[in-house]
Amino acid sequence: MKFHPTPLHGAYTIELEKRGDDRGFFARFFCQKEFEAAGVPMPIVQINNSLSAKAGTLRGMHYQLAPAAEIKVVRCIRGALYDAIVDLRPDSPTFGKWFGVELTAENRTMIFVPQGFAHGIMTLTDDTEAFYLVNAFYAPEQERGLRFDDPRFGIEWPRAPVEVSPKDSSWPDFDPVFHGIESLRGLT
């Protein structure tokens, strides 16, 4: 696997290292030793799967407060999606910044989302499916979210969303107290 730093401190895109022949190719989707060698240990406790029927479906921007803050590795396995992350760690040099990347079944690129980041996706094709490797169990009492169109962050989505859940569309404007930002200190 090849780890490519993003403009956000501690976040990476991950490219598969394919070993190909006439049959096709073989590549590791995950290797704990390679993640540790890259300085991004990833003890997996859940593997999640999402399917979105319509292009323009938006899911996010989700995160969990400490001590349930999550690390995620996301890969699109069918169709295409735009993946966006926001650094919410108050002691990070990239606090409040966002980054986005297109993940497709064809490019097989993954994104490593550190603890203390909000994460969301927008599907670019119908019937888009994604896998998420996660290092912490879902903890609803620690769940928080940013609204996808919060002007504080100004995320530039590739299109207007056509589907957003009531929960995801009703997160309040950014408020450091409500959003539990101090609990994310020290996660850099």
Side-chain angles (χ1 to χ4, degrees):
M1 285 173 273
K2 297 176 184 174
F3 292 77
H4 304 284
T6 72
L8 303 187
H9 180 70
Y12 295 85
T13 59
I14 303 169
E15 179 185 351
L16 297 183
E17 281 190 282
K18 299 176 190 172
R19 303 194 192 292
D21 60 24
D22 294 341
R23 299 169 297 173
F25 74 87
F26 176 84
R28 287 194 182 109
F29 168 59
F30 176 79
C31 174
Q32 191 171 29
K33 286 182 180 176
E34 290 187 48
F35 272 70
E36 288 174 359
V40 289
M42 180 65 192
I44 298 169
V45 299
Q46 282 185 193
I47 300 175
N48 303 328
N49 189 189
S50 70
L51 170 67
S52 300
K54 293 182 183 175
T57 299
L58 195 145
R59 298 174 183 265
M61 305 287 297
H62 305 140
Y63 64 100
Q64 293 189 160
L65 302 177
E70 300 167 298
I71 298 170
K72 296 178 183 175
V73 175
V74 182
R75 178 175 172 193
C76 179
I77 58 170
R78 181 165 43 147
L81 61 88
Y82 186 77
D83 196 294
I85 57 176
V86 177
D87 187 352
L88 295 175
R89 303 165 300 175
D91 49 353
S92 168
T94 54
F95 171 74
K97 306 288 187 197
W98 70 273
F99 171 76
V101 64
E102 189 172 310
L103 307 180
T104 71
E106 286 74 29
N107 71 23
R108 296 180 171 85
T109 298
M110 299 182 282
I111 187 165
F112 175 86
V113 185
Q115 291 176 312
F117 277 61
H119 171 258
I121 64 168
M122 173 181 279
T123 59
L124 302 176
T125 63
D126 289 344
D127 298 319
T128 291
E129 193 167 359
F131 258 13
Y132 304 70
L133 310 179
V134 186
N135 81 321
F137 294 107
Y138 176 60
E141 67 284 357
Q142 301 297 323
E143 182 182 26
R144 293 290 187 281
L146 300 178
R147 210 179 53 253
F148 69 94
D149 59 353
D150 189 319
R152 165 65 176 82
F153 302 102
I155 298 170
E156 295 177 17
W157 297 99
R159 60 177 287 179
V162 298
E163 293 275 346
V164 184
S165 73
K167 181 173 81 174
D168 287 347
S169 61
S170 62
W171 291 111
D173 283 347
F174 181 68
D175 173 348
V177 175
F178 172 82
H179 286 95
I181 298 307
E182 279 304 314
S183 87
L184 304 176
R185 186 176 296 280
L187 296 179
T188 54

